[in-house]
Amino acid sequence: YQRPDMDDCIGVGYMSGFDGAASLGNEYIVGKYFIPGTPVPEGMTAKKIRAGMVAKAQIGGRNFDEILSGAYVLMEDMVCKNGYTLDYEGFYWTEVYTCSRFCEPLERGAEQIICDWYMPCGRNEASAR
């Protein structure tokens, strides 16, 4: 079981239930990554993220809205240019907020903050030939 950069992670946003490429998901959960089997406190929700290949990017901007507005397009373009495709079967994304790239620069009033993004992907069969 692998978790991305958890030593520096302050929180995770998980989004799924997309109606189309132009929409945001119908489900959004804010939390942390935990090892499967960790007890879930009463009143809280746990979501198991399916295993598989993921694309990771660090996307920067002046604020989170600027990052969010370009994240999907940047990820899709990066994935395709590298011979992969986003996996839309049970599609989700997670944005990971780190202390070093997001929180501390935001608190210092930096001109740019960075959010880590993860989306499921797979090898593009056409480029594998």
Side-chain angles (χ1 to χ4, degrees):
Y1 178 74
Q2 295 202 358
R3 299 172 299 161
D5 304 328
M6 289 300 97
D7 292 341
D8 194 27
C9 176
I10 193 75
V12 175
Y14 168 88
M15 190 175 294
S16 65
F18 295 86
D19 292 330
S23 74
L24 292 177
N26 295 320
E27 176 181 45
Y28 189 76
I29 298 172
V30 175
K32 296 278 274 183
Y33 284 120
F34 290 96
I35 295 171
T38 300
V40 178
E42 188 174 328
M44 302 296 250
T45 299
K47 183 73 173 185
K48 186 173 184 177
I49 298 175
R50 67 182 170 90
M53 186 181 298
V54 294
K56 174 188 176 184
Q58 294 176 349
I59 301 174
R62 290 183 302 250
N63 55 52
F64 183 73
D65 288 340
E66 185 175 281
I67 295 170
L68 177 63
S69 69
Y72 174 79
V73 173
L74 289 169
M75 287 287 287
E76 183 180 42
D77 186 54
M78 175 201 65
V79 166
C80 290
K81 284 181 179 176
N82 285 289
Y84 293 82
T85 184
L86 291 176
D87 181 354
Y88 292 104
E89 187 175 319
F91 183 76
Y92 66 89
W93 79 39
T94 59
E95 69 257 11
V96 175
Y97 303 91
T98 62
C99 293
S100 62
R101 291 182 293 280
F102 189 86
C103 297
E104 291 168 5
L106 187 65
E107 290 170 0
R108 287 192 316 266
E111 291 184 26
Q112 179 173 313
I113 56 176
I114 297 171
C115 194
D116 295 16
W117 291 81
Y118 296 82
M119 294 181 191
C121 68
R123 188 85 174 134
N124 184 337
E125 295 304 319
S127 67
R129 293 182 191 148

